[in-house]
Amino acid sequence: MDGTTIGVIGTGYVGLVSSVSFANFGYKVIAMDSDLEKVNLLKSGEVPIYEPGLKEMFDRVTESGTIEFTGEMKYVVENSKVLFICVGTPPEDDGSADLKYVFEVAEGIGKHMNAYKVIVDKSTVPVGTSRKVYSVISDELQKRGLDLHFDVVSNPEFLREGKALYDFTHPDRVVIGSDSEEAIEIMKKIYRPLKVNEVPFVITNPETAEIIKYSSNAFLATKISFINEIANLCEELGADVNQIAKAMGMDGRISPKFLHPGPGYGGSCFPKDTRAIVNTAKKLGIEMKVINAAIEANEYQKHRMVIKIKRRLGDNLAGKTIAILGLSFKAETDDTRESAALVVIPELIDSGATIRAYDPKGTDEMRWRLKDFSPQIAYLENEYDACKNADAVVILTEWAQFRRLDLRRLSEDMREKNFFDFRNLYSREEVEDMGFYYEGVGR
Ligand code: NAD
């Protein structure tokens, strides 16, 4: 690659994975974050998030000197030709995306721009944001009396936490939304290392690129809510949702992906992005009935897990101890944003239960998120300690280590033998053979 330096602004899940991956491609990368504690951690060789393989790649690229970290906007802007915006776009109370961090960054770029730059919006943002970013930068340049040429590109990210490094380097497609030939050529060059994997580019205008991201996430969220509804129906009819999902997935038009029933989707993307697209449409007088239904079904699904537990243990859970295995929103991440545990644990506690919880990576974050419930929750060191003297065990996250529990040991250690497998990790027979009452989702 030529001497293009890539600036990445925001070093969270998307920003850090992008910076480390670009550095691994051989680019010179400057990664910037306004959170100086995070920057200092990164400078000292620590990775603040858990993502499989990230620490190893981080160590390699920091050692080779292709990446540096800074808290200074001026430094990253002046020294990079291409600037990726990777800051958070959290939901406002009405569900719309809060763009204050994106515009803060745009302002900073305008304040320090010194030559032609390509500004790339990788954060998930509503339609029209690229054009607004352009205006914010223009206004800042005008204040400085400068007439510098620059382009803004929409380049949404599709990586999944837990598989982020693989997804970044093996995306199904790279979407580039821009009206500028010059910027499109620069973007294609940056992503050229992906071409060895034959990754297709979708070149379009910024508005289309922005809506591609929301439509993709809303569709996947709807697919999950759909199979969860079928699972709930199966429970009442004595059918097996796993076989249904398998047979449905054999149809090429449907595909087997995202047809896994469970306790409802969570994370930083699906809940936020579905609400945001509904909100965008509402402002335009359009009701997104399908996506609204997917959101509602998902909220119900989390609550339904508590209904299932109470059907077995009773409405009043006073005196009951429940072991929760899995606090992160899915396996292989420490991210607990919108995880099922955030609904299930408080509802169980409100009904009188005491909780013993364990997660391989998400405990610290959950301790903070559920601080109001801390007297009723004990966080344990491993899955077996969590289950000691419990009246029920509830699996909420599909961590690999929860797939191979020593069921004999659990049956000896637990006070009552109730096994709620809300990720369908076990067959009913193997759990029942150990004397447990077993309940999965949709079986
Ligand atoms: P995150 O919260 O993990 O990280 C955001 C980072 O931006 C933080 O480190 C924060 O300190 C930093 N930041 C905030 N304001 C800043 C500023 N003014 N200057 C510099 N840094 C600033 O967020 P994330 O999960 O990486 O998501 C980032 C964006 O990417 C969101 O729009 C999200 O929807 C989208 N996205 C996320 C994922 C995912 O799986 N997490 C996948 C695809 C897309």
Side-chain angles (χ1 to χ4, degrees):
M1 175 66 186
D2 59 20
T4 303
T5 297
I6 296 177
V8 177
I9 302 173
T11 60
Y13 287 90
V14 168
L16 192 57
V17 166
S18 304
S19 347
V20 168
S21 301
F22 281 136
N24 195 49
F25 286 164
Y27 296 115
K28 171 97 189 67
V29 175
I30 303 173
M32 183 270 172
D33 205 290
S34 54
D35 180 343
L36 297 182
E37 218 173 287
K38 204 176 253 190
V39 173
N40 286 335
L41 218 60
L42 290 162
K43 279 183 175 172
S44 71
E46 296 281 326
V47 173
I49 53 168
Y50 175 71
E51 182 61 42
L54 185 58
K55 177 74 171 98
E56 291 76 2
M57 197 184 275
F58 172 91
D59 286 346
R60 250 196 339 267
V61 295
T62 44
E63 211 161 284
S64 69
T66 49
I67 191 165
E68 60 178 312
F69 300 98
T70 180
E72 278 182 51
M73 184 62 88
K74 183 173 165 32
Y75 183 75
V76 68
V77 174
E78 286 184 350
N79 293 291
S80 314
K81 178 161 181 187
V82 182
L83 288 152
F84 281 83
I85 303 178
C86 300
V87 297
T89 48
E92 299 255 38
D93 288 344
D94 65 356
S96 61
D98 182 351
L99 297 173
K100 69 168 176 278
Y101 303 113
V102 172
F103 293 140
E104 218 172 82
V105 170
E107 217 179 286
I109 293 173
K111 279 196 168 89
H112 301 295
M113 194 186 284
N114 53 348
Y116 174 74
K117 313 268 172 200
V118 179
I119 292 93
V120 187
D121 190 0
K122 213 173 221 333
S123 297
T124 304
V125 291
V127 178
T129 305
S130 289
R131 307 245 182 237
K132 286 189 191 147
V133 165
Y134 190 93
S135 311
V136 172
I137 297 173
S138 287
D139 289 350
E140 286 304 316
L141 288 175
Q142 220 170 8
K143 283 185 206 160
R144 291 168 62 205
L146 293 177
D147 182 22
L148 291 173
H149 172 43
F150 67 95
D151 287 307
V152 177
V153 174
S154 170
N155 171 224
E157 179 53 55
F158 297 93
L159 63 78
R160 294 162 295 174
E161 286 174 26
K163 296 195 167 66
L165 283 177
Y166 179 85
D167 286 351
F168 191 86
T169 44
H170 299 76
D172 293 324
R173 72 302 205 192
V174 172
V175 175
I176 298 173
S178 175
D179 301 325
S180 154
E181 282 305 318
E182 187 176 2
I184 291 168
E185 281 317 305
I186 291 172
M187 291 299 290
K188 280 182 169 172
K189 233 171 167 179
I190 284 181
Y191 281 113
R192 191 173 288 157
L194 299 179
K195 271 305 202 187
V196 276
N197 301 324
E198 291 302 320
V199 173
F201 289 120
V202 177
I203 310 288
T204 182
N205 63 32
E207 287 74 17
T208 309
E210 287 162 345
I211 202 80
I212 286 172
K213 171 66 190 177
Y214 280 107
S215 313
S216 303
N217 274 2
F219 187 80
L220 293 173
T222 305
K223 215 173 164 188
I224 295 172
S225 278
F226 179 88
I227 200 66
N228 281 339
E229 283 204 333
I230 299 294
N232 298 343
L233 182 66
C234 286
E235 285 176 5
E236 305 307 321
L237 295 176
D240 183 342
V241 74
N242 279 3
Q243 286 184 24
I244 292 169
K246 194 171 166 192
M248 281 175 67
M250 287 169 179
D251 186 329
R253 295 167 300 176
I254 297 175
S255 120
K257 290 182 181 165
F258 284 78
L259 279 183
H260 305 289
Y265 61 75
S268 66
C269 293
F270 288 177
K272 160 174 89 64
D273 297 347
T274 43
R275 282 183 216 129
I277 192 172
V278 164
N279 188 278
T280 299
K282 195 171 160 193
K283 285 180 186 153
L284 298 167
I286 297 165
E287 197 188 342
M288 304 294 263
K289 292 186 183 187
V290 173
I291 304 174
N292 255 327
I295 295 170
E296 208 180 307
N298 193 57
E299 280 160 11
Y300 171 71
Q301 192 67 10
K302 292 176 182 178
H303 173 64
R304 185 175 165 88
M305 299 304 108
V306 177
I307 297 175
K308 282 158 72 72
I309 295 168
K310 283 188 180 176
R311 260 198 321 224
R312 170 73 181 166
L313 300 186
D315 278 342
N316 181 357
L317 297 175
K320 298 283 183 199
T321 299
I322 299 179
I324 300 285
L325 302 187
L327 302 171
S328 55
F329 83 93
K330 65 174 181 178
E332 299 294 337
T333 181
D334 56 352
D335 196 345
T336 61
R337 288 178 279 189
E338 305 257 2
S339 85
L342 284 169
V343 172
V344 172
I345 292 179
E347 285 194 18
L348 292 174
I349 290 176
D350 284 345
S351 299
T354 301
I355 303 296
R356 291 171 72 79
Y358 168 69
D359 189 280
K361 299 287 176 191
T363 303
D364 289 346
E365 202 179 295
M366 191 53 90
R367 219 188 275 276
W368 163 73
R369 286 190 195 279
L370 289 183
K371 55 185 176 309
D372 292 347
F373 296 89
S374 52
Q376 291 91 354
I377 310 174
Y379 294 95
L380 283 305
E381 288 298 311
N382 61 59
E383 50 274 56
Y384 297 103
D385 285 352
C387 291
K388 267 206 183 105
N389 294 321
D391 297 294
V393 53
V394 179
I395 299 178
L396 287 182
T397 311
E398 71 284 19
W399 284 98
Q401 68 199 73
F402 300 158
R403 291 174 192 270
R404 39 170 205 268
L405 293 169
D406 181 344
L407 296 176
R408 186 174 303 281
R409 185 171 164 190
L410 286 193
S411 79
E412 285 163 9
D413 284 356
M414 286 176 61
R415 190 160 56 190
E416 279 184 42
K417 297 184 189 51
N418 292 302
F419 198 102
F420 295 96
D421 174 13
F422 292 155
R423 293 287 183 169
N424 290 352
L425 304 183
Y426 291 84
S427 74
R428 173 182 297 280
E429 295 71 32
E430 63 182 318
V431 181
E432 285 181 347
D433 280 354
M434 285 295 153
F436 283 95
Y437 166 82
Y438 176 85
E439 210 167 312
V441 176
R443 316 150 87 188

